[in-house]
């Protein structure tokens, strides 16, 4: 099939990282780079996700350094194969990569790309349903070190089989692009898919990460598996989490202790967490009825040590288009790794107080000087800050700062 292969549809060669692959020529289908749903082509390809793939390479390199042994990877929704091929080429210690896609055009195109990059033998391709591939590799001697679930839409249908296909200590990387349900636009869909209620608060993207993380934790716990969130982020049109698993019922029980709820007052912006079912939703600050999100993950969503290793890898690898963005991005995430849950968007604070916006750096400095509070910016929103100061203090400092200007 590979020799003399012709795609049969408009295509072009692209270079990304260390690989060169044949992909659909999206312009022939009326798709522009900013279009996040280039699904009109016979084989799915999204150039916007290059940042996701670059960061994944660094995250997997960091994981391989931490476990310090040869690793295997499964990507069961491979499309044209660019992601899995890059892992084989750019992540040290990768001895086996299993790629699969149920779309036959994608399977053929991925086969060509594997051969074009000289990876026959180390990269194996199957033409199968993703859950079938993962379930067929769920026995102890067949499991993978890393499973990457990067679908178009929700990853939930693949999580159960993905967890079962991982070795003890393995890494699960999951992307979700269905932000409308996760951010509270379609509440019923989120509850149905992720098992938790969303909320349209200013920090909805963090809630999205926590809903996905909670869903993974509960799915894993059914198999007596515990989870640890190593890295998570919200970028462009999607969220992504990197989760390390550990076998054992006690590990699963410990993970479930990180499940809970986030309560929010839309009147005064007060927010708090609750680990147990609550009987009252009355805001302790203003007496207004609060809304809530959950159950979801209220534990850490980033691990500082792991992110530090990813940053080390980012210094060793240069990406043509994304290196500078990745370094800045990871530095921000590392700074907020141990910050409190949720964040304040300054524009929303100003709107609530009926005041104009203020510069974020000025506000960070003013809040720090007002009482030595922890204050860091967040990658979730360029105008967002995480702090251990109370909502009342945030409002008071904001008001004083604007009045002094």
């Amino acid at each position: 099939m590979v020799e003399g292969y012709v795609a049969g549809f408009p295509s072009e060669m692209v270079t990304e990282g260390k690989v060169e692959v044949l992909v659909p020529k999206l312009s022939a289908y009326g798709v522009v780079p900013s279009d996040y749903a280039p699904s009109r082509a016979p084989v799915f390809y999204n150039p916007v996700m290059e940042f996701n793939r670059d960061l994944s390479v660094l995250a997997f390199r960091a994981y391989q350094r931490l476990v310090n042994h040869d690793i295997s990877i499964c990507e069961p929704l491979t499309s044209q194969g660019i992601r899995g091929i890059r892992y084989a080429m750019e992540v040290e210690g990768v001895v086996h990569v299993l790629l699969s896609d149920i779309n036959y055009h994608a399977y053929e195109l991925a086969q060509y790309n594997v051969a074009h990059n000289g990876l026959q033998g180390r990269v194996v391709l199957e033409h199968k349903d993703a859950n079938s591939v993962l379930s067929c590799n769920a026995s102890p001697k067949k499991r993978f070190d890393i499973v990457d679930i990067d679908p178009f839409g929700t990853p939930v249908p693949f999580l159960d089989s993905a967890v079962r296909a991982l070795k003890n200590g393995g890494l699960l990387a999951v992307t979700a692009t269905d932000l409308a349900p996760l951010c509270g636009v379609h509440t019923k869909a989120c509850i149905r898919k992720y098992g938790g209620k969303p909320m349209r608060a200013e920090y909805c993207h963090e809630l999205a990460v926590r809903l996905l993380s909670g869903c993974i934790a509960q799915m894993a716990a059914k198999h007596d598996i515990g989870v640890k969130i190593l890295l998570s982020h919200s970028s462009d049109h999607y969220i992504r989490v990197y989760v390390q698993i550990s076998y054992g019922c006690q590990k699963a029980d410990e993970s479930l202790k990180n499940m809970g709820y986030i309560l929010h007052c839309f009147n005064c912006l007060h927010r708090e967490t609750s680990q147990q079912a609550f009987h009252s939703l009355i805001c302790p600050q203003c007496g207004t009825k609060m809304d809530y999100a959950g159950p979801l993950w209220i534990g850490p969503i980033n691990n500082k040590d792991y992110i530090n290793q990813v940053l080390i890898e980012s210094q060793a690898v240069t990406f043509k288009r994304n290196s500078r963005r990745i370094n800045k991005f990871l530095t921000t995430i590392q700074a907020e790794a141990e910050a409190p849950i949720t964040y304040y968007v300054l524009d929303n604070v100003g709107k609530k107080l009926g005041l104009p916006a203020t510069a974020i750096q000025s506000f960070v400095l003013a809040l720090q000087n007002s009482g030595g509070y922890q204050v860091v910016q967040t990658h979730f929103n360029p105008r967002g800050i995480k702090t251990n100061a109370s909502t009342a203090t945030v409002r008071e400092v904001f008001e004083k700062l604007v009045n002094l200007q």
Side-chain angles (χ1 to χ4, degrees), residues 164-182:
R164 291 187 290 109
L166 276 170
K167 296 177 182 177
N168 188 24
L171 184 70
L172 175 63
V174 181
T175 303
T177 63
D178 57 332
L179 291 190
L182 285 164

Side-chain angles (χ1 to χ4, degrees), residues 44-113:
F44 186 86
Y45 168 63
N46 193 345
V48 173
M49 295 296 273
E50 181 177 356
F51 176 83
N52 181 308
R53 293 186 285 267
D54 287 348
L55 187 52
S56 297
V57 166
L58 297 178
F60 291 177
R61 284 172 63 97
Y63 172 77
Q64 194 277 331
R65 292 275 194 271
L66 292 172
V67 297
N68 195 29
H69 58 67
D70 290 341
I71 61 174
S72 59
I73 300 175
C74 179
E75 192 214 349
L77 299 159
T78 198
S79 190
Q80 74 312 113
I82 188 170
R83 182 179 289 269
I85 291 170
R86 287 194 62 187
Y87 297 156
M89 291 282 283
E90 299 174 43
V91 180
E92 294 180 22
V94 174
V95 294
H96 174 63
V97 178
L98 176 60
L99 306 180
S100 178
D101 204 287
I102 198 170
N103 179 334
Y104 193 73
H105 291 299
Y107 168 73
E108 284 194 317
L109 188 55
Q111 270 197 318
Y112 170 80
N113 286 328

Side-chain angles (χ1 to χ4, degrees), residues 100-179:
S100 178
D101 204 287
I102 198 170
N103 179 334
Y104 193 73
H105 291 299
Y107 168 73
E108 284 194 317
L109 188 55
Q111 270 197 318
Y112 170 80
N113 286 328
V114 168
H116 182 72
N117 287 276
L119 292 170
Q120 303 99 313
R122 197 148 63 94
V123 178
V124 177
L125 268 154
E126 294 186 3
H127 175 224
K128 263 185 180 180
D129 169 76
N131 279 318
S132 175
V133 170
L134 292 166
S135 294
C136 286
N137 288 277
S139 59
K141 292 185 179 180
K142 290 186 176 182
R143 292 171 184 155
F144 303 95
D145 295 283
I146 298 175
V147 172
D148 191 338
I149 303 296
D150 187 69
F152 178 62
T154 178
V156 172
F158 313 104
L159 293 182
D160 186 84
S161 54
V163 167
R164 291 187 290 109
L166 276 170
K167 296 177 182 177
N168 188 24
L171 184 70
L172 175 63
V174 181
T175 303
T177 63
D178 57 332
L179 291 190

